[in-house]
Structures are given as structure tokens and as C-alpha cells.
Amino acid sequence: MMEENREENSAKAPPSGERDVKFIVGMVILIAVMVFIGGNFWRIVAINAEKDKEAERLRREQAVEAIVLTYGEMLKKTVFVDMETDQIFSCEVPREGIFNRNGVLIRGDVLDYGDMVRVYGDGEMKGEEPPYELGGVEKMERIGRATLDVAQEYQDIVDERLGEG
């Protein structure tokens, strides 16, 4: 009886060579599909990376580059002067802290006189007279330190406009 079952099974099964060809064709199709999926995945990753770079470039263009100064005779208050437009403003340092020029967050860091910073935010100035309040500050990045001569040039602007000079 077992011999009859074996004969029936061998009669139903395709020849060994035909099974190998089907298996190889199936594996080739599977590999092609996997390569196609993998290629599309990395293409999408590259497209998203380009979008992120473009968004960061636009965000950097919209950021305000300013120098940190002080004003007031008795109580010195910190102000910022936009180094492009000479507009005087104040703003809060974000809760997370100040980043250095390499993008590393330095918790508990404070701004000193003459520090040059890049302020990211909505750029909306509030208030009727200087120093205006820059709202919506999301990130602050220290980009350098001004020389005393450069700081004094901007300090003269602050003193003139705020009536301290």
C-alpha cells in the first residue's frame, strides 16, 4: 500500500527540473521586488533630507543676527541690536538654553556683553518704541563674540536711540 501511495505522489509531482526553474524564477522576482522597495525607500529618505535642508536654510535666512548689549544707568538691562537693520529689541532666552555655533545645547549658559547671537522665531516685533519685544523665540544660537570696537559702535546706537548718551 505504501508503494502505491509513493507511485501516486510521484505521478502527481512535477519533475525535479521544473520545480527548480519555478523556484529560481520566484526567487528572482522576490529579489527584484525587494531591490525596488529598498531603492524607493532610500530615494524617499534622500528627498526628505533635501526638504529638511531647504527648510533649515529658510529658517536660518529668517533668523535675526544680533549683538547683546546693555543700557541704563542704575540698572543695566540687556538689549539686542539687529546687526543688519540696527533695530533694538529685547527677548527672552528660550527655556532649553543657548546653543553654540556647532548646534550643541549649553544648559544654564548666559549671554554676555558683546555676544553675537542668531535668534530663531516668528520675527514679530511688539511694542510702540524701542526696545521692541521680539516674540515667538524658539531657539538662540551664539555665533561669536564681537570685538570691543564693534560692540562700541552698536552701543553708541543704543545710547543714542534710548537717550542714554
Side-chain angles (χ1 to χ4, degrees):
M1 186 174 249
M2 285 176 79
E3 287 179 24
E4 290 175 10
N5 283 341
R6 281 187 194 161
E7 288 176 15
E8 286 177 16
N9 286 340
S10 65
K12 292 179 184 175
S16 169
E18 192 176 309
R19 274 188 296 183
D20 290 344
V21 170
K22 286 182 181 179
F23 177 76
I24 291 171
V25 168
M27 290 304 290
V28 167
I29 291 172
L30 179 65
I31 290 170
V33 167
M34 296 300 288
V35 167
F36 178 75
I37 290 172
N40 278 333
F41 171 78
W42 289 113
R43 185 178 60 82
I44 291 170
V45 167
I47 289 170
N48 286 337
E50 281 298 316
K51 286 180 184 177
D52 289 346
K53 283 181 187 177
E54 181 65 18
E56 181 62 29
R57 186 187 64 74
L58 289 173
R59 190 170 165 222
R60 187 173 286 249
E61 282 179 6
Q62 294 172 348
V64 177
E65 290 189 8
I67 185 169
V68 179
L69 301 170
T70 59
Y71 83 98
E73 289 182 28
M74 294 283 235
L75 294 172
K76 296 287 186 183
K77 295 181 182 177
T78 300
V79 292
F80 298 81
V81 178
D82 185 327
M83 296 173 68
E84 189 175 309
T85 65
D86 294 341
Q87 189 170 27
I88 302 168
F89 64 94
S90 63
C91 68
E92 295 289 324
V93 174
R95 279 190 189 173
E96 63 184 344
I98 302 167
F99 290 83
N100 67 14
R101 73 178 72 191
N102 297 326
V104 176
L105 178 65
I106 303 171
R107 293 193 182 276
D109 198 6
V110 294
L111 294 173
D112 294 322
Y113 184 88
D115 282 343
M116 295 185 301
V117 294
R118 187 175 291 124
V119 183
Y120 297 90
D122 62 15
E124 185 178 324
M125 297 284 184
K126 301 170 185 168
E128 305 265 331
E129 57 186 52
Y132 302 104
E133 180 69 29
L134 180 65
V137 175
E138 300 169 1
K139 180 180 173 183
M140 192 175 287
E141 179 180 84
R142 181 181 288 112
I143 56 175
R145 186 143 180 85
T147 64
L148 290 176
D149 293 337
V150 171
Q152 188 58 50
E153 286 178 34
Y154 287 102
Q155 186 66 55
D156 291 342
I157 293 170
V158 169
D159 292 344
E160 178 186 314
R161 292 192 186 159
L162 298 180
E164 301 294 326

